[in-house]
Amino acid sequence: MSSLDQMKRTPSRRLFGLAAAGLLAFAVAGCFKPMYAQDTADGGKLTERLGDIQVVFASGRIGNEVRNDLIFALTGGAGNPANAPYRLELAVTDSSTATAVDSLSGLPEVEMVSVDVSWLLFDTTRTPGPDGKPVPPVAHGNAFGKASLYSGYQRFARARAIRDAQNRAAGVAAETIKGQLAAYFIAPPPAAPATTASAPKS
């Protein structure tokens, strides 16, 4: 085969390869769907279900920061819904550890702030049974957020840096909880089988 024939065939082969790659990419794209656009088991949109969660008050400044970030993440800025079908309770703790210490002064140079959150999701449409026991949560989980900061040697600057790091860590924890709640609504666990009272023995 002459070099001229090869030059004639090469463009056609390239075009064929590009066309095949384009068709493959188009076919594969149909297999993916944005997480927050998926339908839930009952046919409702996931974003609507997330917006039906009322986040109750969390104590402490950082707890309130996590709550505010989570409300915004779940509702897109629409605000905390009242009398919602779901109620979310938060328990927030925080800690700070030095990751680098100045060898001369002994003061921390770099610190890591951690925000840990335990959460419980309740279905408010459920009522206590005849035994009066409280309704158990339908889902629960733990989330955490971390953020680093340069401490420096000025007390007020360090206090502000710690506060900013706590806020960033709270935002990370809130986004993590949103993802965990989304996973629950996409694939909720199977309901427990109903128990029936046994017939009295004669």
Side-chain angles (χ1 to χ4, degrees):
M1 181 184 293
S2 65
S3 59
L4 181 59
D5 293 335
Q6 291 180 351
M7 292 177 63
K8 290 180 179 179
R9 293 190 178 187
T10 299
S12 61
R13 290 180 179 178
R14 290 179 178 176
L15 290 175
F16 177 77
L18 290 174
L23 289 175
L24 180 61
F26 180 78
V28 174
C31 300
F32 294 94
K33 196 174 185 182
M35 180 178 184
Y36 299 119
Q38 292 191 27
D39 295 338
T40 53
D42 61 358
K45 294 297 183 180
L46 177 59
T47 52
E48 296 176 359
R49 300 300 298 274
L50 294 177
D52 284 337
I53 301 175
Q54 181 182 11
V55 187
V56 301
F57 176 78
S59 61
R61 189 197 72 81
I62 302 176
N64 192 52
E65 189 73 23
V66 174
R67 176 177 180 264
N68 289 340
D69 289 344
L70 187 54
I71 291 173
F72 185 87
L74 294 177
T75 65
N80 201 28
N83 301 319
Y86 292 96
R87 183 181 77 255
L88 188 70
E89 297 182 1
L90 306 174
V92 182
T93 59
D94 67 284
S95 61
S96 177
T97 57
T99 58
V101 179
D102 183 83
S103 58
L104 297 178
S105 65
L107 298 175
E109 288 184 329
V110 180
E111 297 181 64
M112 180 68 70
V113 170
S114 299
V115 173
D116 301 302
V117 185
S118 299
W119 58 267
L120 299 172
L121 181 67
F122 294 89
D123 185 347
T124 59
T125 62
R126 297 184 180 182
T127 56
D131 54 4
K133 293 183 179 180
V135 178
V138 294
H140 61 88
N142 296 280
F144 65 90
K146 294 182 180 293
S148 61
L149 66 129
Y150 176 73
S151 303
Y153 300 105
Q154 296 183 0
R155 184 179 60 178
F156 295 107
R158 177 177 178 271
R160 182 63 195 182
I162 291 177
R163 184 184 180 95
D164 292 341
Q166 290 171 339
N167 292 346
R168 296 197 307 272
V172 172
E175 285 296 330
T176 302
I177 296 172
K178 178 184 177 181
Q180 294 170 338
L181 293 171
Y184 164 75
F185 284 116
I186 290 173
T195 57
T196 56
S198 57
K201 295 181 180 181
S202 56

